[in-house]
Amino acid sequence: MTIPLNQYVCITGASSGIGLEAAKAFAHLGFHLILAARREELLEDLKREILQTHPNLDIMVKKVDLSASDNAYQLYEDLKDYHISVWINNAGFGNYDSVAKQNLEKMSTMIHLNIEALTILSTLYVRDYQDVDGAQLINISSRGGYMLVSNAVTYCATKFYVSAFTEGLALEMQNNGHKLQAKVLAPAATKTAFGKVATDSTQYDYDQHFKQYHTAQEMADFLIRLYQSSDVVGLVDVADFSFQLSGPLFPY
């Protein structure tokens, strides 16, 4: 795939994990980057690392907490002057706990980030880019957005929303003849900081909790495969952890 000049990819939650590796992967394809996250120092570290091997890229760092809806609107407004060919809503976090014991303040923040910010940014992007050649919106869901996981009910519910919203948007774009492609990536267990955040702990051993898992770099590679395909869904099969591309999975 040939990348036109002055094309940007915006990645939220780019300071670590899948977002960080996705930034490296899209830089390798020749895209300029807009990297958004709360931890500015980590974004600057990532920027320096990428520029060492891709010195001609333009890389913008945006410090933003997207759990506040006003910040989502402001982020998009700040980027109006850039041609963003690919928008990736990756920012989000999970929680492992029973519904009865879950921390409601944490749940409120998770819902605002996983659902509200993603919906705001998706909507604003679609309004501007629905008829632009090559435009793609990729929302990061989870395998928990297509199946329920014990002690992660609320998190799964947020990701069911992401999956259903994005699949529905993809069909809406297709049925109305728009050019934008909406896609959803659904990782299974991936070794990132996700486990520590979900358990509110400083240590999380993926080998102890999972028989199989992917690295963030592997998931970024899957993301690139989804981007380069004409499919809507990129999903990890939990039976064998293979990556599968398909059309929408929900009834329509």
Side-chain angles (χ1 to χ4, degrees), residues 35-48:
L35 308 176
R38 291 179 297 111
R39 295 174 292 182
E40 185 175 18
E41 68 281 2
L42 296 182
L43 293 176
E44 292 290 353
D45 289 343
L46 175 59
K47 177 180 178 178
R48 283 191 290 270

mmCIF file with all atom_site columns, all heavy atoms in Angstrom, residues 35-48:
data_model
loop_
_atom_site.group_PDB
_atom_site.id
_atom_site.type_symbol
_atom_site.label_atom_id
_atom_site.label_alt_id
_atom_site.label_comp_id
_atom_site.label_asym_id
_atom_site.label_entity_id
_atom_site.label_seq_id
_atom_site.pdbx_PDB_ins_code
_atom_site.Cartn_x
_atom_site.Cartn_y
_atom_site.Cartn_z
_atom_site.occupancy
_atom_site.B_iso_or_equiv
_atom_site.pdbx_formal_charge
_atom_site.auth_seq_id
_atom_site.auth_comp_id
_atom_site.auth_asym_id
_atom_site.auth_atom_id
_atom_site.pdbx_PDB_model_num
ATOM 1   N N   . LEU A 1 35 ? 0.203  11.581 18.484 1.00 0.00 ? 35 LEU A N   1
ATOM 2   C CA  . LEU A 1 35 ? 0.186  10.652 19.603 1.00 0.00 ? 35 LEU A CA  1
ATOM 3   C C   . LEU A 1 35 ? -0.454 11.324 20.813 1.00 0.00 ? 35 LEU A C   1
ATOM 4   O O   . LEU A 1 35 ? 0.036  12.340 21.299 1.00 0.00 ? 35 LEU A O   1
ATOM 5   C CB  . LEU A 1 35 ? 1.622  10.214 19.953 1.00 0.00 ? 35 LEU A CB  1
ATOM 6   C CG  . LEU A 1 35 ? 2.452  9.692  18.772 1.00 0.00 ? 35 LEU A CG  1
ATOM 7   C CD1 . LEU A 1 35 ? 3.876  9.392  19.233 1.00 0.00 ? 35 LEU A CD1 1
ATOM 8   C CD2 . LEU A 1 35 ? 1.807  8.472  18.146 1.00 0.00 ? 35 LEU A CD2 1
ATOM 9   N N   . ALA A 1 36 ? -1.548 10.754 21.287 1.00 0.00 ? 36 ALA A N   1
ATOM 10  C CA  . ALA A 1 36 ? -2.305 11.366 22.382 1.00 0.00 ? 36 ALA A CA  1
ATOM 11  C C   . ALA A 1 36 ? -2.373 10.411 23.571 1.00 0.00 ? 36 ALA A C   1
ATOM 12  O O   . ALA A 1 36 ? -2.618 9.213  23.406 1.00 0.00 ? 36 ALA A O   1
ATOM 13  C CB  . ALA A 1 36 ? -3.718 11.723 21.923 1.00 0.00 ? 36 ALA A CB  1
ATOM 14  N N   . ALA A 1 37 ? -2.157 10.954 24.768 1.00 0.00 ? 37 ALA A N   1
ATOM 15  C CA  . ALA A 1 37 ? -2.260 10.169 26.003 1.00 0.00 ? 37 ALA A CA  1
ATOM 16  C C   . ALA A 1 37 ? -2.088 11.121 27.182 1.00 0.00 ? 37 ALA A C   1
ATOM 17  O O   . ALA A 1 37 ? -1.764 12.305 27.017 1.00 0.00 ? 37 ALA A O   1
ATOM 18  C CB  . ALA A 1 37 ? -1.216 9.060  26.055 1.00 0.00 ? 37 ALA A CB  1
ATOM 19  N N   . ARG A 1 38 ? -2.283 10.586 28.379 1.00 0.00 ? 38 ARG A N   1
ATOM 20  C CA  . ARG A 1 38 ? -2.131 11.397 29.590 1.00 0.00 ? 38 ARG A CA  1
ATOM 21  C C   . ARG A 1 38 ? -0.662 11.618 29.947 1.00 0.00 ? 38 ARG A C   1
ATOM 22  O O   . ARG A 1 38 ? -0.298 12.665 30.473 1.00 0.00 ? 38 ARG A O   1
ATOM 23  C CB  . ARG A 1 38 ? -2.829 10.717 30.773 1.00 0.00 ? 38 ARG A CB  1
ATOM 24  C CG  . ARG A 1 38 ? -4.338 10.687 30.682 1.00 0.00 ? 38 ARG A CG  1
ATOM 25  C CD  . ARG A 1 38 ? -4.939 9.965  31.887 1.00 0.00 ? 38 ARG A CD  1
ATOM 26  N NE  . ARG A 1 38 ? -4.521 8.564  31.926 1.00 0.00 ? 38 ARG A NE  1
ATOM 27  C CZ  . ARG A 1 38 ? -3.711 8.048  32.834 1.00 0.00 ? 38 ARG A CZ  1
ATOM 28  N NH1 . ARG A 1 38 ? -3.214 8.808  33.797 1.00 0.00 ? 38 ARG A NH1 1
ATOM 29  N NH2 . ARG A 1 38 ? -3.389 6.765  32.793 1.00 0.00 ? 38 ARG A NH2 1
ATOM 30  N N   . ARG A 1 39 ? 0.182  10.631 29.669 1.00 0.00 ? 39 ARG A N   1
ATOM 31  C CA  . ARG A 1 39 ? 1.564  10.674 30.158 1.00 0.00 ? 39 ARG A CA  1
ATOM 32  C C   . ARG A 1 39 ? 2.487  11.244 29.079 1.00 0.00 ? 39 ARG A C   1
ATOM 33  O O   . ARG A 1 39 ? 3.028  10.525 28.255 1.00 0.00 ? 39 ARG A O   1
ATOM 34  C CB  . ARG A 1 39 ? 1.990  9.273  30.590 1.00 0.00 ? 39 ARG A CB  1
ATOM 35  C CG  . ARG A 1 39 ? 1.181  8.765  31.785 1.00 0.00 ? 39 ARG A CG  1
ATOM 36  C CD  . ARG A 1 39 ? 1.505  7.316  32.130 1.00 0.00 ? 39 ARG A CD  1
ATOM 37  N NE  . ARG A 1 39 ? 1.051  6.395  31.093 1.00 0.00 ? 39 ARG A NE  1
ATOM 38  C CZ  . ARG A 1 39 ? 1.183  5.062  31.159 1.00 0.00 ? 39 ARG A CZ  1
ATOM 39  N NH1 . ARG A 1 39 ? 1.782  4.537  32.230 1.00 0.00 ? 39 ARG A NH1 1
ATOM 40  N NH2 . ARG A 1 39 ? 0.747  4.282  30.193 1.00 0.00 ? 39 ARG A NH2 1
ATOM 41  N N   . GLU A 1 40 ? 2.658  12.549 29.147 1.00 0.00 ? 40 GLU A N   1
ATOM 42  C CA  . GLU A 1 40 ? 3.402  13.273 28.111 1.00 0.00 ? 40 GLU A CA  1
ATOM 43  C C   . GLU A 1 40 ? 4.850  12.807 28.019 1.00 0.00 ? 40 GLU A C   1
ATOM 44  O O   . GLU A 1 40 ? 5.415  12.708 26.918 1.00 0.00 ? 40 GLU A O   1
ATOM 45  C CB  . GLU A 1 40 ? 3.347  14.772 28.390 1.00 0.00 ? 40 GLU A CB  1
ATOM 46  C CG  . GLU A 1 40 ? 3.978  15.624 27.310 1.00 0.00 ? 40 GLU A CG  1
ATOM 47  C CD  . GLU A 1 40 ? 3.798  17.113 27.577 1.00 0.00 ? 40 GLU A CD  1
ATOM 48  O OE1 . GLU A 1 40 ? 3.493  17.483 28.733 1.00 0.00 ? 40 GLU A OE1 1
ATOM 49  O OE2 . GLU A 1 40 ? 3.959  17.901 26.627 1.00 0.00 ? 40 GLU A OE2 1
ATOM 50  N N   . GLU A 1 41 ? 5.461  12.512 29.172 1.00 0.00 ? 41 GLU A N   1
ATOM 51  C CA  . GLU A 1 41 ? 6.875  12.131 29.142 1.00 0.00 ? 41 GLU A CA  1
ATOM 52  C C   . GLU A 1 41 ? 7.088  10.827 28.373 1.00 0.00 ? 41 GLU A C   1
ATOM 53  O O   . GLU A 1 41 ? 8.081  10.662 27.655 1.00 0.00 ? 41 GLU A O   1
ATOM 54  C CB  . GLU A 1 41 ? 7.440  12.010 30.570 1.00 0.00 ? 41 GLU A CB  1
ATOM 55  C CG  . GLU A 1 41 ? 6.901  10.858 31.411 1.00 0.00 ? 41 GLU A CG  1
ATOM 56  C CD  . GLU A 1 41 ? 5.527  11.137 32.005 1.00 0.00 ? 41 GLU A CD  1
ATOM 57  O OE1 . GLU A 1 41 ? 4.958  12.220 31.742 1.00 0.00 ? 41 GLU A OE1 1
ATOM 58  O OE2 . GLU A 1 41 ? 5.029  10.262 32.745 1.00 0.00 ? 41 GLU A OE2 1
ATOM 59  N N   . LEU A 1 42 ? 6.137  9.899  28.481 1.00 0.00 ? 42 LEU A N   1
ATOM 60  C CA  . LEU A 1 42 ? 6.253  8.647  27.740 1.00 0.00 ? 42 LEU A CA  1
ATOM 61  C C   . LEU A 1 42 ? 6.034  8.871  26.243 1.00 0.00 ? 42 LEU A C   1
ATOM 62  O O   . LEU A 1 42 ? 6.670  8.227  25.409 1.00 0.00 ? 42 LEU A O   1
ATOM 63  C CB  . LEU A 1 42 ? 5.258  7.617  28.267 1.00 0.00 ? 42 LEU A CB  1
ATOM 64  C CG  . LEU A 1 42 ? 5.464  7.152  29.709 1.00 0.00 ? 42 LEU A CG  1
ATOM 65  C CD1 . LEU A 1 42 ? 4.430  6.084  30.080 1.00 0.00 ? 42 LEU A CD1 1
ATOM 66  C CD2 . LEU A 1 42 ? 6.877  6.611  29.903 1.00 0.00 ? 42 LEU A CD2 1
ATOM 67  N N   . LEU A 1 43 ? 5.143  9.789  25.908 1.00 0.00 ? 43 LEU A N   1
ATOM 68  C CA  . LEU A 1 43 ? 4.939  10.128 24.499 1.00 0.00 ? 43 LEU A CA  1
ATOM 69  C C   . LEU A 1 43 ? 6.199  10.763 23.907 1.00 0.00 ? 43 LEU A C   1
ATOM 70  O O   . LEU A 1 43 ? 6.572  10.469 22.763 1.00 0.00 ? 43 LEU A O   1
ATOM 71  C CB  . LEU A 1 43 ? 3.763  11.095 24.351 1.00 0.00 ? 43 LEU A CB  1
ATOM 72  C CG  . LEU A 1 43 ? 2.374  10.553 24.691 1.00 0.00 ? 43 LEU A CG  1
ATOM 73  C CD1 . LEU A 1 43 ? 1.342  11.675 24.571 1.00 0.00 ? 43 LEU A CD1 1
ATOM 74  C CD2 . LEU A 1 43 ? 1.999  9.381  23.797 1.00 0.00 ? 43 LEU A CD2 1
ATOM 75  N N   . GLU A 1 44 ? 6.850  11.613 24.670 1.00 0.00 ? 44 GLU A N   1
ATOM 76  C CA  . GLU A 1 44 ? 8.079  12.245 24.179 1.00 0.00 ? 44 GLU A CA  1
ATOM 77  C C   . GLU A 1 44 ? 9.183  11.207 23.999 1.00 0.00 ? 44 GLU A C   1
ATOM 78  O O   . GLU A 1 44 ? 9.969  11.279 23.036 1.00 0.00 ? 44 GLU A O   1
ATOM 79  C CB  . GLU A 1 44 ? 8.538  13.344 25.142 1.00 0.00 ? 44 GLU A CB  1
ATOM 80  C CG  . GLU A 1 44 ? 7.619  14.558 25.204 1.00 0.00 ? 44 GLU A CG  1
ATOM 81  C CD  . GLU A 1 44 ? 7.651  15.401 23.932 1.00 0.00 ? 44 GLU A CD  1
ATOM 82  O OE1 . GLU A 1 44 ? 8.485  15.124 23.039 1.00 0.00 ? 44 GLU A OE1 1
ATOM 83  O OE2 . GLU A 1 44 ? 6.838  16.339 23.841 1.00 0.00 ? 44 GLU A OE2 1
ATOM 84  N N   . ASP A 1 45 ? 9.255  10.241 24.916 1.00 0.00 ? 45 ASP A N   1
ATOM 85  C CA  . ASP A 1 45 ? 10.233 9.151  24.766 1.00 0.00 ? 45 ASP A CA  1
ATOM 86  C C   . ASP A 1 45 ? 9.965  8.370  23.487 1.00 0.00 ? 45 ASP A C   1
ATOM 87  O O   . ASP A 1 45 ? 10.900 8.018  22.746 1.00 0.00 ? 45 ASP A O   1
ATOM 88  C CB  . ASP A 1 45 ? 10.160 8.198  25.963 1.00 0.00 ? 45 ASP A CB  1
ATOM 89  C CG  . ASP A 1 45 ? 10.697 8.813  27.238 1.00 0.00 ? 45 ASP A CG  1
ATOM 90  O OD1 . ASP A 1 45 ? 11.409 9.835  27.153 1.00 0.00 ? 45 ASP A OD1 1
ATOM 91  O OD2 . ASP A 1 45 ? 10.402 8.270  28.329 1.00 0.00 ? 45 ASP A OD2 1
ATOM 92  N N   . LEU A 1 46 ? 8.693  8.073  23.219 1.00 0.00 ? 46 LEU A N   1
ATOM 93  C CA  . LEU A 1 46 ? 8.315  7.337  22.017 1.00 0.00 ? 46 LEU A CA  1
ATOM 94  C C   . LEU A 1 46 ? 8.649  8.153  20.764 1.00 0.00 ? 46 LEU A C   1
ATOM 95  O O   . LEU A 1 46 ? 9.162  7.610  19.778 1.00 0.00 ? 46 LEU A O   1
ATOM 96  C CB  . LEU A 1 46 ? 6.826  7.004  22.056 1.00 0.00 ? 46 LEU A CB  1
ATOM 97  C CG  . LEU A 1 46 ? 6.237  6.331  20.819 1.00 0.00 ? 46 LEU A CG  1
ATOM 98  C CD1 . LEU A 1 46 ? 6.933  5.016  20.512 1.00 0.00 ? 46 LEU A CD1 1
ATOM 99  C CD2 . LEU A 1 46 ? 4.730  6.110  21.004 1.00 0.00 ? 46 LEU A CD2 1
ATOM 100 N N   . LYS A 1 47 ? 8.358  9.423  20.805 1.00 0.00 ? 47 LYS A N   1
ATOM 101 C CA  . LYS A 1 47 ? 8.669  10.303 19.678 1.00 0.00 ? 47 LYS A CA  1
ATOM 102 C C   . LYS A 1 47 ? 10.155 10.263 19.361 1.00 0.00 ? 47 LYS A C   1
ATOM 103 O O   . LYS A 1 47 ? 10.550 10.102 18.188 1.00 0.00 ? 47 LYS A O   1
ATOM 104 C CB  . LYS A 1 47 ? 8.229  11.732 19.994 1.00 0.00 ? 47 LYS A CB  1
ATOM 105 C CG  . LYS A 1 47 ? 8.584  12.747 18.915 1.00 0.00 ? 47 LYS A CG  1
ATOM 106 C CD  . LYS A 1 47 ? 8.105  14.138 19.306 1.00 0.00 ? 47 LYS A CD  1
ATOM 107 C CE  . LYS A 1 47 ? 8.504  15.166 18.261 1.00 0.00 ? 47 LYS A CE  1
ATOM 108 N NZ  . LYS A 1 47 ? 7.998  16.533 18.603 1.00 0.00 ? 47 LYS A NZ  1
ATOM 109 N N   . ARG A 1 48 ? 11.002 10.383 20.385 1.00 0.00 ? 48 ARG A N   1
ATOM 110 C CA  . ARG A 1 48 ? 12.452 10.358 20.166 1.00 0.00 ? 48 ARG A CA  1
ATOM 111 C C   . ARG A 1 48 ? 12.895 9.019  19.579 1.00 0.00 ? 48 ARG A C   1
ATOM 112 O O   . ARG A 1 48 ? 13.729 8.966  18.671 1.00 0.00 ? 48 ARG A O   1
ATOM 113 C CB  . ARG A 1 48 ? 13.185 10.634 21.479 1.00 0.00 ? 48 ARG A CB  1
ATOM 114 C CG  . ARG A 1 48 ? 13.185 12.105 21.875 1.00 0.00 ? 48 ARG A CG  1
ATOM 115 C CD  . ARG A 1 48 ? 14.133 12.358 23.025 1.00 0.00 ? 48 ARG A CD  1
ATOM 116 N NE  . ARG A 1 48 ? 13.620 11.776 24.266 1.00 0.00 ? 48 ARG A NE  1
ATOM 117 C CZ  . ARG A 1 48 ? 12.837 12.430 25.121 1.00 0.00 ? 48 ARG A CZ  1
ATOM 118 N NH1 . ARG A 1 48 ? 12.463 13.684 24.857 1.00 0.00 ? 48 ARG A NH1 1
ATOM 119 N NH2 . ARG A 1 48 ? 12.411 11.843 26.223 1.00 0.00 ? 48 ARG A NH2 1
#
